[in-house]
Amino acid sequence: MPTVRVPRIDEFAREVLITVGFEKGRYGVFSPRWIPLSICDDNRKVAQMSLCLKDESDMLLLLQMDKTLMGRSNVDARMIIGAITAYQVNNNKRQKRGLHPLDAMTMPCITMVGTRPTFYLVPVTKALSDAVMSCQYPSDRTGVEM
Protein backbone atom coordinates (compact mmCIF):
# COMPACT_ATOMS: atom_id res chain seq x y z
CA MET A 1 0.00 0.00 0.00
CA PRO A 2 1.14 3.57 -0.63
CA THR A 3 2.73 5.62 2.13
CA VAL A 4 0.51 8.40 3.44
CA ARG A 5 1.47 11.34 5.65
CA VAL A 6 -0.69 11.13 8.75
CA PRO A 7 -2.35 14.50 9.47
CA ARG A 8 -2.02 15.86 12.99
CA ILE A 9 -5.77 15.55 13.59
CA ASP A 10 -5.48 11.81 12.99
CA GLU A 11 -2.60 11.64 15.47
CA PHE A 12 -4.78 13.59 17.92
CA ALA A 13 -7.77 11.24 17.45
CA ARG A 14 -5.52 8.20 17.85
CA GLU A 15 -4.00 9.56 21.06
CA VAL A 16 -7.46 10.36 22.47
CA LEU A 17 -8.58 6.75 21.88
CA ILE A 18 -5.40 5.45 23.49
CA THR A 19 -5.70 7.85 26.44
CA VAL A 20 -9.26 6.76 27.21
CA GLY A 21 -8.13 3.13 27.23
CA PHE A 22 -8.84 1.73 23.79
CA GLU A 23 -5.32 0.37 23.26
CA LYS A 24 -5.33 -1.70 26.44
CA GLY A 25 -6.35 -5.32 26.61
CA ARG A 26 -8.86 -6.20 23.98
CA TYR A 27 -8.66 -3.20 21.63
CA GLY A 28 -6.14 -1.88 19.12
CA VAL A 29 -5.97 1.49 17.34
CA PHE A 30 -4.57 1.51 13.80
CA SER A 31 -3.83 4.37 11.39
CA PRO A 32 -3.94 4.81 8.44
CA ARG A 33 -5.76 1.69 7.29
CA TRP A 34 -6.57 0.27 3.86
CA ILE A 35 -9.45 -2.18 4.04
CA PRO A 36 -10.17 -4.62 1.18
CA LEU A 37 -13.45 -3.85 -0.59
CA SER A 38 -15.50 -6.00 -2.96
CA ILE A 39 -17.32 -3.67 -5.35
CA CYS A 40 -18.80 -4.34 -8.80
CA ASP A 41 -17.39 -7.89 -8.84
CA ASP A 42 -13.87 -6.52 -8.28
CA ASN A 43 -12.01 -7.71 -5.15
CA ARG A 44 -8.91 -5.59 -5.81
CA LYS A 45 -10.30 -2.31 -4.44
CA VAL A 46 -9.59 -0.81 -1.02
CA ALA A 47 -11.26 1.77 1.20
CA GLN A 48 -8.90 4.09 3.08
CA MET A 49 -9.70 5.04 6.65
CA SER A 50 -7.63 7.50 8.67
CA LEU A 51 -8.09 5.45 11.84
CA CYS A 52 -9.66 2.12 12.81
CA LEU A 53 -10.45 0.52 16.15
CA LYS A 54 -10.33 -3.28 16.33
CA ASP A 55 -11.17 -5.74 19.08
CA GLU A 56 -9.13 -8.79 20.09
CA SER A 57 -10.90 -10.95 17.51
CA ASP A 58 -9.64 -8.51 14.81
CA MET A 59 -13.14 -7.19 14.09
CA LEU A 60 -13.43 -3.56 12.99
CA LEU A 61 -15.41 -1.56 15.56
CA LEU A 62 -14.97 2.09 14.60
CA LEU A 63 -13.91 3.99 11.51
CA GLN A 64 -12.58 7.56 11.41
CA MET A 65 -11.87 9.68 8.35
CA ASP A 66 -10.22 13.08 8.19
CA LYS A 67 -12.17 15.34 5.80
CA THR A 68 -9.10 17.48 5.21
CA LEU A 69 -7.41 14.56 3.38
CA MET A 70 -9.78 14.84 0.43
CA GLY A 71 -11.68 18.06 0.88
CA ARG A 72 -15.30 18.18 1.94
CA SER A 73 -16.82 16.63 -1.17
CA ASN A 74 -18.02 13.03 -1.07
CA VAL A 75 -16.62 12.34 2.41
CA ASP A 76 -19.98 11.13 3.70
CA ALA A 77 -20.27 8.71 0.78
CA ARG A 78 -16.70 7.51 1.40
CA MET A 79 -17.52 6.94 5.07
CA ILE A 80 -20.53 4.83 4.09
CA ILE A 81 -18.31 2.82 1.72
CA GLY A 82 -15.92 2.36 4.65
CA ALA A 83 -18.79 1.00 6.77
CA ILE A 84 -19.83 -1.39 3.98
CA THR A 85 -16.20 -2.49 3.68
CA ALA A 86 -15.99 -3.14 7.43
CA TYR A 87 -19.20 -5.20 7.19
CA GLN A 88 -17.68 -7.30 4.38
CA VAL A 89 -14.36 -7.77 6.20
CA ASN A 90 -15.99 -8.63 9.53
CA ASN A 91 -18.32 -11.18 7.94
CA ASN A 92 -15.43 -12.76 6.00
CA LYS A 93 -13.54 -13.14 9.29
CA ARG A 94 -16.63 -14.65 10.95
CA GLN A 95 -16.98 -17.21 8.16
CA LYS A 96 -13.29 -18.16 8.38
CA ARG A 97 -13.87 -18.86 12.09
CA GLY A 98 -16.86 -21.08 11.36
CA LEU A 99 -19.43 -18.48 12.46
CA HIS A 100 -22.48 -17.43 10.48
CA PRO A 101 -22.23 -14.01 8.80
CA LEU A 102 -24.41 -11.30 10.27
CA ASP A 103 -27.41 -10.05 8.25
CA ALA A 104 -26.89 -6.51 9.55
CA MET A 105 -24.26 -4.51 11.40
CA THR A 106 -24.26 -0.89 12.57
CA MET A 107 -20.85 0.74 12.23
CA PRO A 108 -19.98 3.78 14.35
CA CYS A 109 -18.03 6.26 12.23
CA ILE A 110 -16.45 9.66 12.74
CA THR A 111 -15.39 12.31 10.25
CA MET A 112 -13.21 15.24 11.27
CA VAL A 113 -13.05 18.81 9.97
CA GLY A 114 -10.21 20.40 11.85
CA THR A 115 -10.90 19.45 15.44
CA ARG A 116 -14.69 19.21 14.95
CA PRO A 117 -15.96 15.62 14.79
CA THR A 118 -19.20 14.42 13.22
CA PHE A 119 -20.44 11.08 14.53
CA TYR A 120 -22.42 8.63 12.42
CA LEU A 121 -24.16 5.32 12.93
CA VAL A 122 -24.17 3.56 9.56
CA PRO A 123 -26.46 0.52 9.32
CA VAL A 124 -25.16 -1.98 6.78
CA THR A 125 -27.29 -4.92 5.67
CA LYS A 126 -26.48 -7.97 3.60
CA ALA A 127 -28.75 -6.57 0.87
CA LEU A 128 -26.78 -3.29 0.76
CA SER A 129 -23.43 -5.09 0.71
CA ASP A 130 -24.64 -7.47 -2.01
CA ALA A 131 -25.87 -4.51 -4.09
CA VAL A 132 -22.44 -2.86 -3.85
CA MET A 133 -20.64 -6.10 -4.70
CA SER A 134 -22.82 -6.69 -7.78
CA CYS A 135 -22.86 -3.03 -8.92
CA GLN A 136 -26.63 -2.74 -8.46
CA TYR A 137 -28.70 0.06 -6.96
CA PRO A 138 -29.87 -1.05 -3.48
CA SER A 139 -33.53 -2.04 -3.28
CA ASP A 140 -33.96 -0.56 0.22
CA ARG A 141 -33.08 2.90 1.46
CA THR A 142 -30.31 3.12 4.08
CA GLY A 143 -30.74 5.84 6.69
CA VAL A 144 -27.60 7.11 8.40
CA GLU A 145 -27.90 8.63 11.87
CA MET A 146 -25.76 11.65 12.73
Side-chain angles (χ1 to χ4, degrees):
M1 292 296 150
T3 304
V4 173
R5 185 179 79 63
V6 178
R8 289 202 167 119
I9 191 64
D10 293 348
E11 293 171 9
F12 171 75
R14 184 178 194 285
E15 290 303 316
V16 167
L17 287 172
I18 291 169
T19 300
V20 297
F22 279 108
E23 185 123 298
K24 296 178 183 158
R26 55 179 288 196
Y27 300 105
V29 180
F30 301 92
S31 64
R33 205 67 180 167
W34 290 268
I35 308 167
L37 168 65
S38 180
I39 185 168
C40 296
D41 297 321
D42 185 353
N43 293 326
R44 298 170 295 163
K45 301 293 184 188
V46 293
Q48 180 186 346
M49 295 292 113
S50 302
L51 189 73
C52 296
L53 180 65
K54 291 180 162 187
D55 67 9
E56 77 261 350
S57 65
D58 204 31
M59 295 292 180
L60 293 165
L61 302 177
L62 174 86
L63 306 172
Q64 185 262 329
M65 181 179 289
D66 181 3
K67 286 187 178 186
T68 59
L69 281 176
M70 61 200 66
R72 295 174 189 246
S73 65
N74 296 324
V75 171
D76 297 335
R78 290 175 191 221
M79 182 55 64
I80 292 169
I81 280 293
I84 294 167
T85 303
Y87 172 88
Q88 292 175 359
V89 167
N90 287 348
N91 270 339
N92 287 340
K93 289 176 184 177
R94 289 180 60 83
Q95 288 179 304
K96 287 178 183 174
R97 294 180 181 134
L99 301 171
H100 292 289
L102 299 175
D103 290 330
M105 188 181 300
T106 300
M107 290 300 303
C109 302
I110 305 168
T111 59
M112 301 287 288
V113 175
T115 57
R116 189 184 79 229
T118 302
F119 298 91
Y120 302 80
L121 290 175
V122 182
V124 182
T125 62
K126 182 178 183 326
L128 177 60
S129 178
D130 289 348
V132 168
M133 285 192 288
S134 63
C135 218
Q136 301 294 315
Y137 192 81
S139 58
D140 295 327
R141 185 175 184 268
T142 299
V144 175
E145 292 182 43
M146 291 177 75

